[in-house]
């Protein structure tokens, strides 16, 4: 068994495409997430947050497919921390926690009423989006 190693790698769109050829045991792609990540990469808002691209001994992508697809879609080279030589069986323990919601982010930022603030924000966004769509044809 090879030793697990980690390395900072500048991943180009071509490299991401090559890595994704080994993406054969992952969940379905969320185009919404890929688009959101790609927009952040293109605008320079992408944050290096310590999250890794995880690769098995045989090259299988265990974690990071959405970020790799976003590199391709954005056309931007992004530096990732890539962890190599992880056992394939470890995929059962990757991303198995609770999804961080907007309410969680508000709580982390110190909001006194994160659930209420998140709900009000969602309602305001829905109203703004619906209003924009309904008035899109009128000038």
């Amino acid at each position: 068994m090879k030793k697990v190693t980690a390395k900072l790698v500048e991943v180009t769109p071509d490299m991401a495409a090559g890595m994704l050829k080994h993406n054969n045991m992952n969940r379905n792609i969320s185009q919404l997430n890929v688009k959101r990540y790609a927009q952040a990469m293109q605008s320079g808002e992408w944050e290096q947050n310590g999250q890794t691209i995880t690769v098995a001994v045989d090259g299988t992508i265990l974690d990071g497919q959405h970020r790799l697809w976003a590199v391709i879609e954005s056309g931007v080279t992004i530096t990732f921390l890539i962890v190599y030589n992880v056992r394939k069986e470890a995929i059962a323990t990757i991303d198995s926690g609770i999804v961080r919601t907007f309410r969680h982010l508000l709580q982390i930022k110190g909001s006194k009423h994160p659930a209420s603030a998140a709900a009000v924000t969602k309602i305001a966004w829905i109203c703004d989006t619906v209003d924009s769509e309904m008035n899109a044809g009128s000038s």
Side-chain angles (χ1 to χ4, degrees):
M1 185 69 173
K2 292 184 176 181
K3 183 178 178 181
V4 173
T5 60
K7 181 179 177 182
L8 279 174
V9 178
E10 289 190 24
V11 177
T12 66
D14 286 343
M15 289 172 64
M19 293 173 75
L20 286 166
K21 288 181 181 176
H22 301 281
N23 189 31
N24 56 19
M25 58 179 290
N26 230 309
R27 56 189 158 187
N28 293 336
I29 298 293
S30 164
Q31 291 301 325
L32 181 64
N33 281 339
V34 170
K35 185 174 183 168
R36 188 168 43 103
Y37 293 169
Q39 288 172 343
M41 290 172 182
Q42 286 174 328
S43 68
E45 295 175 4
W46 182 256
E47 289 287 337
Q48 297 299 331
N49 62 11
Q51 192 172 11
T52 65
I53 305 289
T54 307
V55 181
V57 175
D58 67 354
T60 300
I61 301 299
L62 300 178
D63 188 37
Q65 68 173 346
H66 287 90
R67 286 167 277 151
L68 292 170
W69 280 111
V71 166
I72 295 167
E73 185 169 313
S74 70
V76 176
T77 297
I78 299 290
T79 302
F80 290 110
L81 178 60
I82 302 181
V83 176
Y84 298 95
N85 301 322
V86 176
R87 287 179 0 105
K88 280 179 142 178
E89 294 77 13
I91 197 167
T93 64
I94 295 173
D95 281 345
S96 61
I98 298 171
V99 173
R100 185 171 288 134
T101 66
F102 186 55
R103 177 182 62 85
H104 294 132
L105 294 174
L106 290 172
Q107 183 178 13
I108 290 166
K109 292 286 189 180
S111 173
K112 300 234 186 277
H113 306 284
S116 299
V120 168
T121 303
K122 184 174 183 177
I123 291 167
W125 179 83
I126 290 169
C127 289
D128 186 54
T129 303
V130 169
D131 185 53
S132 295
E133 289 174 2
M134 290 180 72
N135 294 313
S138 61
S139 302

